[in-house]
């Protein structure tokens, strides 16, 4: 019975993890197909009229329908953490590069710093502004009216509206402040509804799913919005290429596994100023699979003669460090999805961050986390392993009982349970260590795949260079070592006696089948999780041997006392 319960739990866990990591590759037909882009282009991106070629004054008293076309200019703002390129085409982001050494990834066969801007030419660039009532193209031409080391101010006028956009990049932060001022350009009352875009097209290499024995975990990139405290992520479907989310939006943006591009009204919580106001709504657009646009829809504004209206916003584009998102507030931490084991995942993350601060190595931090969990669970695992050892000690009695009763299954079960009671053996005791570890494995798996702390975290240089990804290569030593340790653990676990030959064969089969099967599953999972399971297996084997030695010594001492 003990072996069957143990096997059932392992199979369930393997199926759960395999489905999350391998399901999209094995069952691609279960996922929606990408329709022809022409079917949805018209309703998502209405075609703007061509601008008038005639030259006009940069700031006319009565503007034309679209801003005056000008040659594109690129302006660079840079701090310790990011390098931002701003273009006059749409007064938007052309590039946003994370400068820290760890934030690299391989695209088109080359390792490069992470650039969060990658937009389809048909889509607006991030932080471009459009207006429902005006005929401005998404790449409307702006002029630069002011430039300093950390600030760029743009201006454009058309359709009776003058738009001023001022970008300010503070030192040492992952965000850029955006101020938008709408003013009457002398054409009389006009009403406009600004939409600020956050767009992203998923690079082909981030969608890649390689062979079963050597593949990368694909990024999960979605447009997202937090409305009334709940996050909504939108995936492409032919029936609903876009969704409007009424209500107060805390932020809108592009959520990927380890990075977040988000836009919210107001300022971060750690900056002085008035509390952020969430009067905007949001629209999430996915005209094609892997092509996304999250729009923060600001309040409709009616501009009478000489009127003006200003909006103050913050765009965070950076890694999903849980502590960093908490520091910004405005519900940015909702982008981190720990699943149903959030409390446990947060606790594991806190412990790992603490140990990493001491040893400056995330692999060692995971090993220390394993020791800590083992210490906390020691009373329960000690009781369980003692029960397993008592079961091993009575194996001769159980085998004798089996020979005595032959194939009388019913009587054998009765006598076996009686023997368990007499020897104070719990047949289910061997399952307890696995039952205790199962939620920890799942919580750690979600933590590694939801936060940036372990992104490109090196354990041993030249071997495991990224604990958030599977070990590279076809021959993966860490999963293989984990499989060997799991086999040794199962070998040390006493097998319940049975008179059913078929059941006995099944027990032997599972002993030799489960470790290789689990090893194959771990081939495609983060090496940080594999490291935790391997370390836990080694500690469990050591603990079991230590308990066995102590119990054997106690039995020998007891036997010697009886002889005297």
């Amino acid at each position: 019975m003990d072996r069957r319960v143990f096997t059932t739990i392992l199979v369930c866990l393997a199926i759960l993890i395999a489905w999350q990591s391998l399901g999209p590759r094995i069952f691609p037909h279960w996922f929606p197909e990408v329709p022809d882009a022409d079917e949805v282009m018209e309703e998502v991106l209405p075609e703007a009229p061509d601008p008038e070629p005639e030259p006009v004054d940069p700031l006319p008293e009565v503007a034309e329908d679209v801003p005056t076309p000008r040659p594109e200019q690129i302006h660079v703002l840079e701090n310790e953490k990011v390098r931002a390129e701003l273009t006059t085409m749409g007064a938007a982001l052309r590039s946003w590069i994370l400068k820290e050494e760890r934030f690299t990834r391989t695209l088109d066969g080359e390792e490069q710093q992470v650039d969060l801007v990658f937009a389809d030419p048909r889509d607006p660039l991030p932080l471009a502004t459009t207006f429902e009532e005006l005929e401005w193209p998404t790449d409307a031409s702006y002029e630069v009216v002011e430039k300093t080391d950390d600030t760029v101010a743009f201006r454009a006028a058309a359709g009776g509206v003058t738009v001023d956009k001022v970008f300010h990049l503070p030192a040492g932060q992952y965000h850029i402040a955006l101020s938008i001022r709408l003013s009457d350009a002398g054409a009389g009352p006009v009403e406009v509804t600004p939409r600020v875009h956050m767009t992203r097209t998923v690079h082909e290499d981030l969608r890649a799913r390689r062979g079963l024995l050597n593949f990368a975990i694909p990024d999960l990139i979605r447009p997202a919005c937090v409305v009334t405290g709940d996050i909504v992520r939108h995936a492409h479907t032919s029936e609903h290429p876009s969704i409007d989310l009424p209500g107060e939006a805390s932020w809108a943006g592009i959520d990927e596994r380890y990075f977040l591009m988000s836009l919210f009204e107001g300022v971060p919580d750690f900056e002085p100023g008035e509390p952020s106001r969430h009067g905007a709504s949001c629209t999430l657009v996915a005209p094609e699979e892997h092509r996304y646009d999250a729009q923060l829809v600001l309040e409709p504004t009616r501009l009478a003669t000489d009127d003006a209206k200003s909006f103050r916003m913050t765009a965070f584009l950076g890694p999903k460090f849980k502590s960093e998102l908490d520091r910004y507030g405005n519900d940015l931490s909702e982008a981190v999805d720990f699943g149903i084991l959030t409390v446990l995942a947060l606790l594991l993350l806190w412990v790992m961050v603490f140990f990493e601060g001491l040893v400056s190595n995330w692999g060692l931090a995971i090993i220390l986390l394993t020791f800590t969990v083992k210490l906390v669970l020691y009373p329960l695992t000690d009781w369980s392993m003692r029960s397993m050892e008592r079961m091993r000690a009575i194996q001769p009695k159980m085998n004798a009982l089996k020979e005595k009763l032959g194939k009388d299954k019913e009587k054998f079960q009765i006598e076996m349970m009686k023997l368990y009671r007499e020897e104070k053996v719990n047949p289910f005791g061997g399952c307890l260590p696995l039952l205790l570890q199962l939620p920890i494995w799942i919580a750690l798996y979600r933590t590694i795949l939801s936060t940036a702390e372990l992104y490109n975290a090196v354990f041993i240089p030249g071997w495991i260079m990224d604990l958030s990804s599977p070990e590279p290569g076809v021959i993966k030593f860490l999963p293989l070592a984990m499989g060997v340790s799991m086999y040794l653990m199962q070998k040390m676990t006493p097998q319940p006696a049975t008179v059913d030959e078929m059941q006995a064969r099944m027990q032997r089969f599972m002993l030799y089948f489960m470790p290789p099967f689990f090893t194959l599953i771990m081939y495609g999972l983060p090496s940080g999780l594999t490291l935790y399971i391997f370390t836990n297996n080694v500690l469990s084997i050591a603990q079991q041997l230590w308990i066995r030695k102590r119990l054997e010594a106690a039995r020998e001492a007891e036997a010697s006392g009886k002889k005297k």
Side-chain angles (χ1 to χ4, degrees), residues 65-79:
D65 289 339
V66 296
T68 304
R70 298 179 176 88
E72 182 182 19
Q73 298 179 21
I74 302 294
H75 296 271
V76 177
L77 299 179
E78 193 166 1
N79 64 19

Side-chain angles (χ1 to χ4, degrees), residues 457-467 469 471-472 478 527-528 531:
V458 178
F459 176 34
I460 298 178
W463 178 29
I464 297 179
M465 303 295 292
D466 182 7
L467 287 165
S469 298
E471 180 183 336
L478 190 57
S527 53
L531 177 62

